[in-house]
Amino acid sequence: MTENWHFTHVAKFKKRKGLDAFLDVAEGLAGGTIGARSRRGGVLGMLFFEPSTRTRMSFTAAAGRLGMTVNDLGGDGVSSKSKGESDEDTVLNVAQYCDAMVVRHADDWFASKVAEETKTPVICGGAGKRSHPTQALLDLMTVRQCQRRLDHLSWVICGDLARGRTVKSLLGLLRLCDGIRVTLVNPPDLGLETSDIDHAKTRMDVRVVPCLAEACHGADVVYMTRMQKERPLDQHGQPAGVVDYSDCFRMTKECLGNLPADAIVMHPGPCGPEITDECKADGRNVILKQARNGMFARQALLDAVVARDQKEWWSWFGDA
Ligand code: NCD
């Protein structure tokens, strides 16, 4: 029996073979070798307390491909939040109408907390600065398709690592891979916390360099991220938006010149000035492929959750 049907953290994957099994299903759906099963009658709740394009629309598309109905809370002006209802009460009430819910919230722990209070499966669609587990799945799906492997890859991860949540979930899944080298590049004061770096170092080679162009030599994957201007830099006491990207943190012509021909450039979106026009036009840019893969990765997850498919669930999240 499953302990629960929530998916709020990548640590739910305990073994590499579970991650591989999940990616097999997502890739099978993308490639058409696995036919979509119908989950007609299923209802997916969408509770986005922060803006979203890719996560929201790919979950909606995934649910549509399964024949499900999507019940979207809508923005603040539409729901009873405008009457003072708490976000937690909102989720627990909406849970009564759904077979699964996608929850995005600015609080790092909101989705995990509500998951403890409801039996309706909660899927984290982005948790504050801390976690974005389905994004990490579609990221690794894209890497496996493009590079034909997940092990022994040299990653460059660049941008606002302090406030970006995708990178933390990505590093969580990379723990299941062997021979990973990670080069971190970030503006001053926007690096990962020392505890996160130390934790990563227990499973992979990690170095920090000051400039992207230098880091691009020999990289297999460059994972770019945007400046998270809407999030206050609380730990440093600086107001949001005072720091901007210099060329050191943009995928410039020089960076592209240093990057091996078979490398790929990724970005979770939305892209800012860090993705230059030269990068947009470069064949190594797989950003739209990531966006599309999001639909299939989320479809794979939703399918198993809504069907309460124990066999599939354990093949991903079991520890045997
Ligand atoms: C990310 C998010 O919202 O966490 N986008 C996404 O879901 N694809 C990244 C971001 O906002 O920078």
Side-chain angles (χ1 to χ4, degrees):
M1 277 296 286
T2 178
E3 78 278 28
N4 64 59
W5 294 95
H6 305 302
F7 182 64
T8 56
H9 201 281
V10 291
K12 187 120 180 166
F13 285 98
K14 296 173 198 77
K15 289 268 154 79
R16 169 59 181 275
K17 77 175 188 195
L19 172 63
D20 287 335
F22 176 87
L23 296 179
D24 288 345
V25 176
E27 275 185 42
L29 288 167
T33 54
I34 298 179
R37 289 161 287 194
S38 173
R39 301 298 170 215
R40 200 140 62 90
V43 178
L44 178 65
M46 299 279 275
L47 296 112
F48 280 68
F49 297 96
E50 281 192 328
S52 169
T53 299
R54 278 149 290 269
T55 306
R56 188 171 52 84
M57 299 197 71
S58 61
F59 264 114
T60 302
R65 294 169 87 91
L66 293 167
M68 295 173 65
T69 298
V70 173
N71 216 351
D72 195 322
L73 178 69
D76 288 356
V78 179
S79 69
S80 286
K81 190 170 168 147
S82 59
K83 302 176 195 169
E85 187 167 27
S86 73
D87 294 348
E88 189 179 328
D89 283 349
T90 302
V91 176
L92 297 180
N93 279 267
V94 172
Q96 308 308 312
Y97 315 132
C98 304
D99 298 290
M101 299 184 287
V102 184
V103 176
R104 168 174 286 198
H105 202 280
D107 182 307
D108 289 6
W109 305 109
F110 180 80
S112 312
K113 273 188 277 180
V114 291
E116 282 170 19
E117 290 170 46
T118 178
K119 284 200 157 48
T120 302
V122 174
I123 299 171
C124 173
K129 291 183 266 195
R130 197 67 233 156
S131 151
H132 197 344
T134 60
Q135 177 70 41
L137 289 173
L138 74 90
D139 289 338
L140 287 200
M141 176 183 173
T142 308
V143 171
R144 204 175 80 162
Q145 286 173 331
C146 295
Q147 299 292 19
R148 304 267 152 228
R149 68 188 197 279
L150 291 178
D151 298 317
H152 304 289
L153 286 172
S154 184
W155 286 72
V156 174
I157 301 180
C158 176
D160 183 346
L161 311 183
R163 297 178 289 179
R165 53 190 166 211
T166 64
V167 165
K168 284 128 192 171
S169 290
L170 179 60
L171 287 169
L173 279 191
L174 287 178
R175 298 185 66 76
L176 298 174
C177 305
D178 292 323
I180 298 295
R181 291 177 305 280
V182 177
T183 303
L184 302 171
V185 191
N186 55 266
D189 288 340
L190 292 178
L192 287 178
E193 283 180 23
T194 315
S195 55
D196 284 334
I197 295 182
D198 289 345
H199 186 56
K201 279 183 175 165
T202 62
R203 264 302 280 156
M204 52 199 102
D205 270 356
V206 183
R207 63 180 185 139
V208 182
V209 306
C211 205
L212 181 59
E214 169 198 339
C216 283
H217 290 286
D220 299 303
V221 182
V222 182
Y223 193 94
M224 302 292 293
T225 64
R226 73 180 173 96
M227 182 70 68
Q228 305 268 320
K229 287 186 176 170
E230 75 277 21
R231 300 189 196 286
L233 274 172
D234 44 12
Q235 86 235 56
H236 306 290
Q238 278 179 284
V242 293
V243 196
D244 220 331
Y245 280 173
S246 75
D247 268 0
C248 247
F249 314 103
R250 286 179 211 239
M251 187 44 76
T252 58
K253 226 170 159 170
E254 187 194 354
C255 298
L256 291 164
N258 292 347
L259 204 59
D262 57 357
I264 56 172
V265 179
M266 305 177 71
H267 194 302
C271 297
E274 65 280 0
I275 299 298
T276 59
D277 288 345
E278 289 91 346
C279 180
K280 280 186 187 148
D282 195 287
R284 291 166 292 184
N285 165 347
V286 297
I287 297 170
L288 291 179
K289 189 175 179 69
Q290 279 175 277
R292 183 161 172 80
N293 280 339
M295 175 170 68
F296 297 114
R298 286 159 180 147
Q299 183 180 342
L301 185 66
L302 275 184
D303 192 354
V305 171
V306 173
R308 306 291 192 264
D309 186 332
Q310 293 275 359
K311 192 162 166 263
E312 192 131 85
W313 199 251
W314 280 111
S315 77
W316 301 341
F317 303 126
D319 55 11

